[in-house]
């Protein structure tokens, strides 16, 4: 039995192993019950099962891992008085309804007693490593205890239950920690979220050396650069710094990180040559009752509110009157000379007034907002308010950041009555805009058509969709569907891998399944003619994908290892060869609404290759190793304010990649219960339409969630 549990434990990812250990620790600290009252089972969830069939069983917790799901259940919930189970147990596996699984979440959210701390989570692996001998002794003592309990209770309890209990106590002896629950982590058994192949790790795994020694100054960027110098693997683009003092600070993780656990932090120590003024000047707006104070008077006022500030090393400059009808002054606090303890190139803007106005930074102090469903201004401001109770949301506005689904800038409105108005003063807030429902099935719209193999879809100008591939009972070729997903008719026997616009609104271009190029009528979808290549530069047997860019350029890329990128004329003939790429294959072309162009490749695992304006490679973004999703030819769907996803593909993968607007990986999700989509299209109305191929008969056309 011990070997069996060890195998189960080894299959789990780090997060799930941590949850397993914490559940044991939680039960041990439970005043009413102990480990002997708990049992563990594999769990299958049946969405069609009636909750009454579960006999009022309420599991304590559920761990959803890659391989299996596991439920922890109090024995008095699942066993009858005579030791028999209330529901069937086959191979240590039970079947539960979806409603019971939801009850786990509801029950524990109401109890509000299950928490974990970052510090304790980080200490767990260290304690284990440093106290191995003590743990072995503890294990020996627990083994003695279990053998005794086994002797006393085996006649009343089944052997399986007792062996499981042994494992629970063993895990408690070996691993400590507080509880990290399934329902608090946002994962469930619907299959809607799958952990990324590259598991997020605790920050301290890459930031092991927290003694940064001598650094130039204690500003945020200097601290992060020093941390990077000491810890080569550290990715400082995903990090922020807070609680900065003269000699230490807290480094923490941006909400948008897909590398580090967003609740992990590390305290670092350092010896700065110079100190940032922000270290000693916490309050930056002050009360005065005169419109013409002199600089020494202002410095005394600043010192009174910020006692750590050393006045001998600062000056106040550029004192101006902001409003004439009220006493509102503005000035800049700067370092005084090279011998100053403060950074020389830093300037702090300060306000002085007899009004109740204040700086936005007084109220907006927490800039890491966590997960939000979309990056609409209203949603961002709601998240700001949730993290910063004092912020007057009706007096501030949002300016999009450099990466709109990762950050935004908060600015005081020009009509604010309570904040100082300064168009150049912006506070950047960080978040992860992530909607796990994006691309999931909303409803089925076509039941009579069975999808076999589809390659491409294109919306025509006459409220029809041109879909190319194999439709059962209709044969292979190119077909018309209505905008609501209903089958209309077949228009051509030719199959196209891709259909795109051309500069001529009346003509489309299709890349034939046999690698030929065709010109099509933009209203009917019928072939006008096949493109005749220049004999000196034949393309018919080379191209694997084509794309019409926003600027009217038509590109084509060859379907081979180390492919070549071409530019085509509007009539489909070759204009010129642009570039040859190395070490990529099975390549497809995409363009985002912001103009970014990228390729996908699965030669060395699944990758996104972002291109520069000259089509050279800007960067490669790794998604998954070979065989994880194993698809190509993804459908690109982009929802306004909600995100970007790649789904479907020629292998009918269940994977969905959620991407940031800078093309970095946000999250990998998938379809529950084998509900993979082979092809999807975003219509001009914003609707996502999906075409599903399924071997269980439940295929057809679906509307997918677009927000």
């Amino acid at each position: 039995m011990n070997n069996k549990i060890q195998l189960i434990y080894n299959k789990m990812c780090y997060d799930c192993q941590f949850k397993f250990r914490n559940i044991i620790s939680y039960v041990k600290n439970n005043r009413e019950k102990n480990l002997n009252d708990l049992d563990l089972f594999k769990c299958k969830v049946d969405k069609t099962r009636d909750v009454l069939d579960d006999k009022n069983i309420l599991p304590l917790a559920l761990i959803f891992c890659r391989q299996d799901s596991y439920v922890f259940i109090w024995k008095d919930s699942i066993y009858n008085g005579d030791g028999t189970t209330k529901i069937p147990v086959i191979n240590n596996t039970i079947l539960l309804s979806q409603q019971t699984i939801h009850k786990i979440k509801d029950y524990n959210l109401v109890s509000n007693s299950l928490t974990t701390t970052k510090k304790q989570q980080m200490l767990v692996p260290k304690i284990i490593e440093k106290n191995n001998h003590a743990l072995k002794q503890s294990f020996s003592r627990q083994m003695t205890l279990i053998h005794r309990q086994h002797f006393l209770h085996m006649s009343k309890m089944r052997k399986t239950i007792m062996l499981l209990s042994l494992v629970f106590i063993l895990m408690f002896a070996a691993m400590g920690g507080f509880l990290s629950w399934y329902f608090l982590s946002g994962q469930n058994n619907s299959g809607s979220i799958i952990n990324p192949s590259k598991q997020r790790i605790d920050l301290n795994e890459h930031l092991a050396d927290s003694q940064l020694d001598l650094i130039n100054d204690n500003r945020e960027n200097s601290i992060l650069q020093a941390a990077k110098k000491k810890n080569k693997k550290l990715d400082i683009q995903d990090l922020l710094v807070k609680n900065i003092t003269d000699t230490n600070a807290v480094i923490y993780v941006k909400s948008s990180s897909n590398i580090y656990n967003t609740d992990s932090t590390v305290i670092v120590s350092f010896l700065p040559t110079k100190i940032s003024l922000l270290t000693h000047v916490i309050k930056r707006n002050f009360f005065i009752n005169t419109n013409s104070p002199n600089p020494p008077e202002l410095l005394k006022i600043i010192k009174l509110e910020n006692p750590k500030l050393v006045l001998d090393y600062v000056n106040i400059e550029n004192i101006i009157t902001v409003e004439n009808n009220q006493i509102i002054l503005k000035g800049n606090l700067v370092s005084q000379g090279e011998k100053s303890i403060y950074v020389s190139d830093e300037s702090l803007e300060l306000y002085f007034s007899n009004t109740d106005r204040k700086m936005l930074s007084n109220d907006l102090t927490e800039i890491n907002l966590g997960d939000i469903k979309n990056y609409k201004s209203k949603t961002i401001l709601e998240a700001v308010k949730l993290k910063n109770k004092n912020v007057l949301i009706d007096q501030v506005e949002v300016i999009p950041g450099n990466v709109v689904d990762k950050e935004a800038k908060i600015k005081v409105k020009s009509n604010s009555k309570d904040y100082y108005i300064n168009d150049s003063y912006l506070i950047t807030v960080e978040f992860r805009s992530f909607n796990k429902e994006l691309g999931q099935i909303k409803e089925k719209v076509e039941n009579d058509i069975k999808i076999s193999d589809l390659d491409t879809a294109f919306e025509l100008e006459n409220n029809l969709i041109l879909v190319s591939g194999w439709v059962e009972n209709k044969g292979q070729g190119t077909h018309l569907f209505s905008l609501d997903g209903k089958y209309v008719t077949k228009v051509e026997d030719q199959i196209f891998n891709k259909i795109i616009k051309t500069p001529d609104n009346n003509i489309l271009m299709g890349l034939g399944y046999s690698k030929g190029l065709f010109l099509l009528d933009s209203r009917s979808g019928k072939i006008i003619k096949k493109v005749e290549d220049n004999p000196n530069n034949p393309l018919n047997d080379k191209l694997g994908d084509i794309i019409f860019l926003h600027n009217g350029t038509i590109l084509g890329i060859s379907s081979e290892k180390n492919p070549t990128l071409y530019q085509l004329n509007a009539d489909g003939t070759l204009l010129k060869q642009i570039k040859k790429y190395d070490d990529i294959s099975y390549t497809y072309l995409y363009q985002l609404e912001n103009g970014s162009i990228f390729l996908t490749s699965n030669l060395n695992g699944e990758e996104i290759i972002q291109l520069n304006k000259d089509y050279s490679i800007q960067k490669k973004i790794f998604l998954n190793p070979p065989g994880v999703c194993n698809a190509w030819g993804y459908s690109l769907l982009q929802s306004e304010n909600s995100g970007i996803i790649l789904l479907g593909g020629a292998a009918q993968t269940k994977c969905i990649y959620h991407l940031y607007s800078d093309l970095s990986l946000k999250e990998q999700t998938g379809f529950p219960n084998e509900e993979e989509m082979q092809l999807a299209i975003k219509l001009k109305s914003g609707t996502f339409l999906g075409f599903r191929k399924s071997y269980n008969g439940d295929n057809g056309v679906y509307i997918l969630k677009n927000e």
Side-chain angles (χ1 to χ4, degrees):
M1 187 69 170
N2 182 40
N3 290 337
K4 173 186 172 182
I5 296 299
Q6 188 64 47
L7 288 172
I8 292 174
Y9 181 81
N10 290 340
K11 286 183 180 180
M12 292 182 179
C13 64
Y14 174 82
D15 288 341
C16 292
Q17 289 177 343
F18 185 71
K19 293 170 191 174
F20 189 104
R21 300 194 299 266
N22 288 336
I23 292 169
I24 303 308
S25 179
Y26 171 80
V27 173
K28 186 264 179 184
N29 292 315
N30 190 299
R31 295 181 179 180
E32 299 178 357
K33 298 183 179 181
N34 57 45
L35 290 169
N36 287 331
D37 299 316
L38 191 68
D39 213 339
L40 170 69
F41 299 92
K42 286 186 180 181
C43 178
K44 302 292 184 183
V45 179
D46 183 359
K47 291 184 177 180
T48 64
R49 182 181 173 90
D50 193 322
V51 67
L52 297 177
D53 294 336
D54 293 344
K55 308 298 183 184
N56 292 321
I57 291 173
L58 180 60
L60 174 67
L62 180 145
I63 293 179
F64 171 61
C65 206
R66 295 176 183 175
Q67 303 298 327
D68 291 292
S69 299
Y70 305 91
V71 283
F72 295 79
I73 305 178
W74 294 119
K75 291 179 180 176
D76 59 7
S77 178
I78 192 170
Y79 289 103
N80 296 311
D82 59 1
T84 59
T85 56
K86 296 179 180 178
I87 61 175
V89 178
I90 302 173
N91 294 329
N92 200 48
T93 301
I94 62 174
L95 190 67
L96 293 175
S97 68
Q98 186 70 59
Q99 289 174 272
T100 294
I101 297 301
H102 287 317
K103 284 183 180 180
I104 304 175
K105 178 176 180 178
D106 295 338
Y107 170 79
N108 287 293
L109 284 176
V110 171
S111 72
N112 197 28
S113 62
L114 311 177
T115 59
T116 183
T117 66
K118 297 184 284 288
K119 180 177 179 182
Q120 290 156 340
Q121 182 173 346
M122 291 189 297
L123 286 175
V124 170
K126 293 183 178 180
I127 293 172
I128 295 169
E129 181 179 352
K130 293 180 179 180
N131 297 280
N132 189 47
H133 179 67
L135 291 172
K136 288 180 179 179
Q137 290 180 327
S138 177
F139 168 72
S140 178
R141 291 193 299 269
Q142 297 295 341
M143 285 292 291
T144 302
L145 174 62
I146 291 301
H147 283 309
R148 181 184 177 188
Q149 291 175 337
H150 179 85
F151 175 78
L152 293 174
H153 298 288
M154 185 59 74
S155 61
K156 298 180 181 179
M157 304 178 72
R158 297 183 307 159
K159 183 178 180 180
T160 302
I161 299 172
M162 286 306 301
L163 289 174
L164 280 171
S165 299
L166 179 145
V167 173
F168 293 148
I169 296 179
L170 167 61
M171 295 305 298
F172 165 67
M175 310 287 183
F178 281 29
L179 194 56
S180 174
W181 293 96
Y182 146 82
F183 50 86
L184 288 178
S185 70
Q187 296 178 5
N188 59 46
N189 203 45
S190 70
S192 62
I193 297 184
I194 302 170
N195 285 331
S197 57
K198 183 179 179 182
Q199 290 293 325
R200 292 182 178 90
I201 60 174
D202 278 340
L203 178 58
N204 65 339
E205 292 190 35
H206 279 181
L207 184 46
D209 189 348
S210 61
Q211 303 298 318
L212 307 185
D213 301 331
L214 189 66
I215 62 176
N216 292 333
D217 57 68
N218 65 339
R219 289 183 288 188
E220 180 173 6
N221 186 60
S222 300
I223 294 170
L224 290 176
Q225 292 293 340
K228 175 69 174 177
K229 187 176 181 180
K230 283 273 191 174
N231 303 269
K232 302 300 183 184
K233 293 182 178 180
L234 188 66
D235 191 332
I236 60 175
Q237 299 299 317
D238 279 22
L239 303 177
L240 297 167
V241 185
K242 64 181 179 180
N243 300 342
I244 302 174
T245 70
D246 292 8
T247 56
N248 58 61
V250 175
I251 295 181
Y252 64 115
V253 181
K254 291 181 179 180
S255 303
S256 59
S257 176
N258 66 351
I259 300 173
Y260 304 114
N261 291 327
T262 54
D263 61 350
S264 57
T265 63
V266 173
I267 297 175
V268 294
S269 301
F270 43 77
L271 294 172
T273 303
K274 298 282 187 179
I275 298 172
S276 169
L277 286 168
L278 286 169
T279 312
H280 290 168
V281 183
I282 307 301
K283 186 169 183 179
R284 295 171 61 185
N285 51 264
F286 311 92
F287 178 82
I288 60 170
N289 54 14
T290 175
N291 216 1
S292 56
N294 58 51
E297 290 175 338
L298 294 180
L299 287 174
K300 289 180 181 179
I301 293 171
I302 298 168
K303 172 70 174 179
L304 188 64
E305 298 286 353
N306 299 279
K308 289 186 178 181
L309 181 66
V310 183
L311 293 182
D312 293 340
Y313 297 115
V314 294
N315 284 328
I316 187 163
E317 302 175 343
N318 305 323
I319 303 169
I320 61 173
T321 300
V322 177
E323 292 188 21
N324 293 320
N325 57 343
Q326 293 179 311
I327 298 177
I328 301 180
L329 305 177
K330 182 174 70 172
N332 295 96
L333 189 69
V334 297
S335 176
Q336 187 184 76
E338 290 297 322
K339 294 183 179 181
S340 172
I341 64 172
Y342 297 111
V343 177
S344 60
D345 61 348
E346 193 172 45
S347 176
L348 287 187
E349 196 168 71
L350 308 178
Y351 284 86
F352 306 86
S353 175
N354 66 346
T355 70
D356 291 327
R357 290 202 180 195
K358 52 189 173 181
M359 294 187 71
L360 178 58
S361 58
N362 275 33
D363 292 345
L364 207 173
T365 57
E366 178 55 67
I367 63 170
N368 213 26
L369 305 183
D371 275 9
I372 61 178
K373 190 173 182 180
N374 56 59
Y375 46 95
K376 296 177 181 178
S377 293
K378 180 177 182 292
T379 307
I380 295 171
L381 290 177
E382 287 173 351
V384 168
K385 183 67 173 179
L386 188 64
K387 291 283 188 175
N388 302 270
K389 303 298 184 184
N390 295 326
V391 172
L392 304 171
I393 293 301
D394 59 332
Q395 298 188 39
V396 297
E397 59 187 333
V398 175
I399 298 175
N402 295 326
V403 184
V404 294
D405 40 4
K406 285 185 179 181
E407 65 179 31
K409 300 181 187 301
I410 308 300
K411 172 181 173 292
V412 176
K413 288 181 178 179
S414 59
N415 60 354
S416 173
K417 302 299 182 184
D418 295 281
Y419 294 121
Y420 291 114
I421 301 166
N422 185 341
D423 289 340
S424 63
Y425 182 66
L426 308 172
I427 296 179
T428 300
V429 292
E430 305 282 346
F431 52 83
R432 182 179 80 148
S433 173
F434 175 54
N435 180 1
K436 68 180 181 180
E437 296 297 319
L438 197 64
Q440 296 290 328
I441 289 174
K442 182 177 181 180
E443 62 178 300
K444 190 172 185 178
V445 295
E446 176 59 275
N447 292 303
D448 298 330
I449 294 298
K450 294 191 179 298
I451 305 302
S452 222
D453 284 292
L454 297 181
D455 294 284
T456 190
F458 184 88
E459 183 178 358
L460 303 176
E461 296 296 333
N462 56 356
N463 295 326
L464 293 172
I465 306 168
L466 205 57
V467 179
S468 195
W470 186 282
V471 178
E472 288 188 21
N473 301 323
K474 306 297 179 181
Q476 69 175 23
T478 301
H479 311 263
L480 288 176
F481 283 76
S482 64
L483 294 185
D484 59 2
K486 303 297 183 181
Y487 185 85
V488 178
T489 188
K490 179 179 175 181
V491 295
E492 289 286 354
D493 290 331
Q494 176 67 45
I495 294 179
F496 298 104
N497 287 340
K498 189 73 164 288
I499 300 172
I500 63 171
K501 290 176 62 177
T502 71
D504 186 336
N505 291 331
N506 296 316
I507 297 176
L508 305 176
M509 187 181 299
L511 175 61
Y513 183 74
S514 58
K515 302 298 189 291
L517 283 172
F518 297 80
L519 299 183
L520 314 176
D521 182 84
S522 64
R523 292 189 62 82
S524 67
K526 288 185 174 295
I527 295 174
I528 298 174
K529 68 173 184 177
K530 184 173 181 180
V531 175
E532 297 297 332
D533 283 328
N534 181 336
N536 297 322
N537 297 287
L539 291 177
N540 275 337
D541 60 345
K542 289 186 177 181
L543 295 182
D545 194 22
I546 55 176
I547 189 172
F548 181 78
L549 301 180
H550 299 165
N551 63 6
T553 301
I554 299 176
L555 300 179
I557 194 164
S558 58
S559 59
E560 58 186 342
K561 183 178 179 181
N562 305 324
T564 301
L565 185 69
Y566 302 93
Q567 183 174 346
L568 308 182
N569 292 306
D571 62 1
T573 58
L574 175 66
L575 176 62
K576 63 180 178 180
Q577 178 177 318
I578 298 176
K579 193 172 294 293
K580 189 172 181 64
Y581 301 106
D582 295 325
D583 201 29
I584 61 177
S585 187
Y586 298 105
T587 306
Y588 290 80
L589 290 157
Y590 304 88
Q591 186 175 32
L592 299 181
E593 291 174 6
N594 65 12
S596 297
I597 304 170
F598 67 97
L599 312 171
T600 57
S601 170
N602 67 356
L603 179 64
N604 304 304
E606 293 180 77
E607 291 179 309
I608 288 175
I609 299 99
Q610 186 171 4
L611 303 182
N612 294 306
K613 290 183 179 179
D614 64 354
Y615 307 115
S616 60
I617 293 176
Q618 181 184 127
K619 62 182 177 181
K620 290 186 177 182
I621 302 155
F622 181 77
L623 298 177
N624 260 319
V628 174
C629 288
N630 198 32
W632 56 93
Y634 283 102
S635 297
L636 171 65
L637 299 177
Q638 188 166 355
S639 173
E640 185 178 5
N641 298 318
S642 290
I644 304 163
I645 57 174
L646 292 174
L647 84 167
Q652 299 93 53
T653 178
K654 291 181 290 182
C655 293
I656 301 177
Y657 291 120
H658 293 249
L659 306 177
Y660 289 108
S661 54
D662 64 358
L663 292 175
S664 57
L665 178 63
K666 184 185 302 183
E667 192 74 76
Q668 176 191 320
T669 66
F671 292 102
N673 301 327
E674 310 299 322
E675 294 174 351
E676 67 275 4
M677 288 294 152
Q678 185 181 17
L679 176 68
I681 180 176
K682 178 184 178 181
L683 303 180
K684 294 171 186 176
S685 64
T687 300
F688 290 175
L689 206 62
F691 299 84
R692 178 186 176 196
K693 175 183 177 180
S694 175
Y695 297 102
N696 63 13
D698 191 18
N699 58 12
V701 186
Y702 293 78
I703 292 178
L704 308 179
K705 296 178 182 178
N706 62 356
E707 61 180 9

